Amino acid sequence: MITKIIKIDDNNIDMKGIETAGEIIKNGGLVAFPTETVYGLGGDALNPDSSRKIYAAKGRPSDNPLIVHIADKKDMEAVAACVTDKARILADRFWPGPLTVILPRSDRVPYETTGGLDTVAIRMPVHKTAAEFIRAAGGFVAAPSANLSGKPSPTSAKYVIQDMNGRIDAIIDGGDSGIGLESTIVDLSGDVPVLLRPGYITIEELKRAIGEVETDRTILDGDCKDRPKAPGMKYRHYAPKGDLTIIEGDSEDVVNLIIRLSNMAKGKKKTGIIATDETYARYDADSVKSIGSRNDEEMIAHRLYTILREFDDENVELIYSESFDSSGIGQAIMNRLLKAAGHKIIRTDNYPSQG
Ligand code: AMP
Ligand code: MG
């Protein structure tokens, strides 16, 4: 299959390109598209064959549900069997934007889209090109992130092309994703709302809007044996090819341990370091990258997946990362970093000192 690349400038949207992309979806094809979080891999959410094709293109297990993207708040009623008051409050407060809500599924949404579940995930992106594309596609676009299963989500068209060229009908190239991490997911299908995936919209913001919100245990505890409520979360995610370990502790101890560990690997394994603006100059390894300043969490979120992909491009074999504060957006950053590392952490105070 030849994958068509459709360039669209979000500030001056070419509606002919959008129409072409919309027609592909209406005819049962797949189109990757930019959003404010990461690139999505879209198909018609109401067409079971389209959803099957999405799983095939990603190499994704078919029990890992897709998010239904809409461009109009009222379309929530069409895909959910019932819309709760809390869902309305969250939609009014955070849509369009990087929040996904889980509600009971309406019969219009096939099980292929929901991974066999009786609930459906719904999001309305704020990205202008995404919204026009969703409208042109008929209003309901099922989309997971546009990466091959297990790899970091793509935050630019370059990485979508790397993973999906030849596997899907078209890619809308709309430049870089602003936020760089997937949407916050909150499950509203039970009695108490549950945060299933942290994101740019923080749990504190959700609580201010709707009161009590629980956090799924599997977000907090990497060793947790419970089955995660968001099925996709049981799979290894966001993983770079290199072996990633997170170093945790007081900042000076972290820098010193990363220097020691990377020195030990010198001449043996190609080594990368995820540093910050504050520490970047202290390291000497094959590939040292600053993810941004510790004072700028939004930049850290924005850069994380790009850095992991760059290490892949450079065939880095071993990666050490500093750790980050896990409040606010930091909860989402650490959640993705921990998954990328397969929860491999070294605490500086547990590590034998030199001798
Ligand atoms: P992705 O955007 O690629 O991370 O994929 C969408 C993710 O949304 C899935 O991996 C699930 O974690 C989550 N999700 C989608 N639908 C549901 C649902 N009905 N219930 C719980 N989680 C869901
Ligand atoms: Mg994904």
Side-chain angles (χ1 to χ4, degrees):
M1 174 185 302
I2 304 233
T3 302
K4 196 183 176 82
I5 309 292
I6 305 172
K7 264 201 178 290
I8 303 234
D9 175 358
D10 203 46
N11 295 315
N12 181 18
I13 296 179
D14 163 25
M15 287 308 288
K16 265 181 52 200
I18 293 286
E19 286 306 322
T20 306
E23 282 305 312
I24 294 173
I25 299 289
K26 285 181 177 164
N27 290 324
L30 303 186
V31 179
F33 62 102
T35 80
E36 69 274 20
T37 57
V38 300
Y39 272 72
L41 173 52
D44 180 352
L46 308 183
N47 179 346
D49 286 335
S50 298
S51 293
R52 273 189 217 110
K53 283 188 196 168
I54 293 176
Y55 290 108
K58 277 182 70 87
R60 172 169 178 146
S62 60
D63 63 348
N64 186 354
L66 313 176
I67 294 173
V68 178
H69 291 71
I70 57 175
D72 206 322
K73 276 182 207 173
K74 71 172 182 351
D75 285 343
M76 184 166 35
E77 324 273 346
V79 284
C82 66
V83 175
T84 61
D85 289 345
K86 284 177 182 163
R88 268 181 236 287
I89 294 171
L90 291 181
D92 283 340
R93 172 77 184 75
F94 298 108
W95 280 0
L99 177 71
T100 297
V101 299
I102 310 279
L103 289 170
R105 176 189 70 97
S106 119
D107 291 340
R108 286 186 70 189
V109 185
Y111 280 122
E112 282 77 0
T113 300
T114 67
L117 297 175
D118 278 313
T119 51
V120 59
I122 315 166
R123 175 164 112 79
M124 177 178 171
V126 68
H127 196 282
K128 280 185 288 184
T129 299
E132 292 298 350
F133 162 66
I134 292 163
R135 276 188 202 106
F140 303 95
V141 173
S145 50
N147 51 285
L148 286 174
S149 190
K151 294 238 262 164
S153 301
T155 53
S156 70
K158 173 182 159 188
Y159 291 121
V160 182
I161 294 169
Q162 213 174 64
D163 281 14
M164 291 298 156
N165 197 24
R167 301 175 76 89
I168 61 176
D169 300 280
I171 296 169
I172 300 178
D173 177 352
D176 285 356
S177 303
I179 293 174
L181 295 180
E182 304 83 350
S183 58
T184 305
I185 302 182
V186 60
D187 185 352
L188 300 174
S189 67
D191 293 339
V192 179
V194 183
L195 177 72
L196 300 185
R197 177 169 78 186
Y200 184 82
I201 292 175
T202 62
I203 187 159
E204 292 83 6
E205 289 176 281
L206 295 177
K207 284 179 177 167
R208 274 199 291 278
I210 54 170
E212 191 186 358
V213 177
E214 287 176 355
T215 300
D216 189 52
R217 282 191 52 203
T218 54
I219 292 177
L220 304 172
D221 178 1
D223 299 324
C224 186
K225 299 286 183 294
D226 292 0
R227 186 180 152 78
K229 291 214 187 61
M233 301 198 310
K234 73 184 175 202
Y235 297 108
R236 184 150 186 239
H237 262 75
Y238 325 119
K241 286 187 253 171
D243 188 4
L244 169 62
T245 304
I246 302 167
I247 313 299
E248 223 172 51
D250 292 339
S251 50
E252 194 51 33
D253 296 342
V254 167
V255 172
N256 287 328
L257 185 53
I258 292 181
I259 292 172
R260 263 178 74 194
L261 291 168
S262 58
N263 281 344
M264 273 153 52
K266 263 212 179 98
K268 296 186 196 114
K269 285 196 167 167
K270 188 163 186 188
T271 302
I273 294 173
I274 302 181
T276 50
D277 288 357
E278 290 79 9
T279 57
Y280 175 81
R282 308 225 0 229
Y283 300 115
D284 169 33
D286 298 301
S287 181
V288 182
K289 295 181 191 296
S290 175
I291 195 164
S293 166
R294 283 196 172 270
N295 304 322
D296 187 354
E297 280 189 321
E298 299 203 1
M299 180 56 78
I300 295 174
H302 175 74
R303 295 257 306 138
L304 178 61
Y305 289 149
T306 306
I307 286 192
L308 295 177
R309 291 261 182 178
E310 284 172 0
F311 283 136
D312 279 1
D313 293 344
E314 297 165 19
N315 292 311
V316 166
E317 298 169 271
L318 200 58
I319 306 167
Y320 293 110
S321 176
E322 296 181 8
S323 53
F324 302 94
D325 222 14
S326 58
S327 61
I329 309 169
Q331 189 188 17
I333 295 168
M334 280 311 290
N335 168 262
R336 304 310 194 279
L337 193 59
L338 282 162
K339 285 191 170 206
H343 285 270
K344 258 198 299 333
I345 308 174
I346 298 177
R347 285 204 51 89
T348 55
D349 48 10
N350 287 340
Y351 200 77
S353 54
Q354 229 150 354

